[in-house]
Amino acid sequence: MKSKGQRVLSIAIIFCVTVCLTYYSNVKVWNGGRLSELGEESLTVGSVRKLLEDEDLVTERIHFPGQQKRLPQSLIIGARKCGTRALLEFLGLHPLIQPADQEVHFFDNDTNYNRGYEWYRDHMPYSYPEQITLEKSPRYFITEKAPERIHRMNSSIKLIVLLRNPTTRVISDYTQVYYNKLAKGKDMEKFEDLVIDRKTNEVNTGFRAIQISIYYHHLLRWLKYFKREQIHVVDGDKLITNPLSEIKRVERFLGLPSKVTENNIYFNTTRGFYCMRTPKTEQKCLGLTKGRKHPYIEHSVLQKLNDFFRPHNKKLFSLISHTFDWD
Ligand code: A3P
């Protein structure tokens, strides 16, 4: 049990910390940047916050005057394994974008959806009125009910979808599941045995990873609810090799000034991918679950997959009036 004196002292400390944080938030607003761009100051804020959380003195994420949790004005809807995490993180460098840390799975999960908009809002980050709240849950892309549900929440929402060579996406998907199973001590069938139906020697269209890569089929559903201009397609392959050009296109789509620059993104030779840095703070690459080495796949199987996807791709290209070099 704390004495009265100790309780008063705790309250006084919390008060001082709150005043201090408010001061730093004003610095942030004044700078027109994100907390993470403040470098040393953000460390101070971060460590004070961590201290408070460790001491169980705050249960809510600290926020600053003028900040609120808002329903997203933009969503990254998929597709899985096309670079959705990389894009979200890169866009988080923009001072006018507040990304949700976690995939919330609101529109693709009936239990979550039935919890209502307030539950969803509560999972959003705090933001200033001029900022765009951005959430990503790649399963939205393939969920039957998602377009209608999202349209009901906000018919003018801006949707971002990443697409990548569909065969590469299947391999990436397989690789992820393979490692997840490995971690649980489970075996996984060979890639070739999953994607090819050995009885017919045709592509196994019942395999979920194949179904996800038939982008045309899914996008058609979204275009029943949203205008083409509301859906921005990001080239997931280019995001790997030249992220800045893709980020600039997204900034334009969101109606934001271009803020993410060469200074924020650099190629990390050890990692083999682009990573992030802010002027004063640390360098950050994605976790090792992103950019895993893919298994070797027989050439004939790759050929079969490419042949299978080609007509679907063609329909996609005319649907979105854009061609990708996927052959
Ligand atoms: P691989 O792991 O197959 O290489 P998602 O985040 O949607 O799951 O996508 C994962 C993919 O993002 C990775 O697939 C990787 O190729 C790609 N990616 C794009 N930019 C990346 C980056 N800067 N760092 C790591 N992975 C990146």
Side-chain angles (χ1 to χ4, degrees), residues 176-188 292:
Q176 159 134 332
V177 178
Y178 172 87
Y179 279 104
N180 286 349
K181 287 201 170 182
L182 197 70
K184 291 180 190 154
K186 291 184 188 165
D187 284 339
M188 176 127 175
R292 287 179 174 124

Side-chain angles (χ1 to χ4, degrees), residues 100-202:
D101 300 336
Q102 305 287 327
E103 293 177 8
V104 184
H105 292 286
F106 181 64
F107 299 105
D108 61 74
N109 178 308
D110 288 349
T111 310
N112 288 345
Y113 188 68
N114 291 331
R115 289 178 168 134
Y117 293 146
E118 283 315 306
W119 179 90
Y120 188 37
R121 191 198 310 272
D122 205 39
H123 284 73
M124 292 301 123
Y126 283 99
S127 63
Y128 290 101
E130 68 276 17
Q131 290 180 313
I132 291 177
T133 300
L134 175 68
E135 194 246 332
K136 81 120 178 157
S137 291
R139 210 183 297 150
Y140 293 162
F141 184 57
I142 56 159
T143 302
E144 288 285 331
K145 294 177 188 165
E148 197 217 329
R149 285 175 170 178
I150 293 171
H151 188 266
R152 202 177 305 147
M153 181 187 78
N154 179 356
S155 60
S156 58
I157 199 161
K158 296 189 174 187
L159 303 171
I160 300 169
V161 62
L162 292 98
L163 303 178
R164 179 184 190 184
N165 179 314
T167 300
T168 319
R169 203 215 64 80
V170 176
I171 301 169
S172 174
D173 202 322
Y174 171 87
T175 310
Q176 159 134 332
V177 178
Y178 172 87
Y179 279 104
N180 286 349
K181 287 201 170 182
L182 197 70
K184 291 180 190 154
K186 291 184 188 165
D187 284 339
M188 176 127 175
E189 284 172 75
K190 263 184 80 185
F191 179 82
E192 287 78 355
D193 295 338
L194 287 169
V195 298
I196 305 292
D197 182 335
R198 288 296 175 194
K199 280 192 213 121
T200 60
N201 208 26
E202 297 296 329

Side-chain angles (χ1 to χ4, degrees), residues 79-86 90 136 138 164 172 176 236 239-240 271 273-275 286 289-292 294:
R80 175 184 153 89
K81 305 316 294 170
C82 289
T84 56
R85 172 57 58 183
F90 288 146
K136 81 120 178 157
R164 179 184 190 184
S172 174
Q176 159 134 332
L239 187 74
I240 298 174
R271 200 63 182 78
F273 281 96
Y274 279 86
C275 296
L286 296 197
T289 59
K290 305 292 177 186
R292 287 179 174 124
H294 292 175

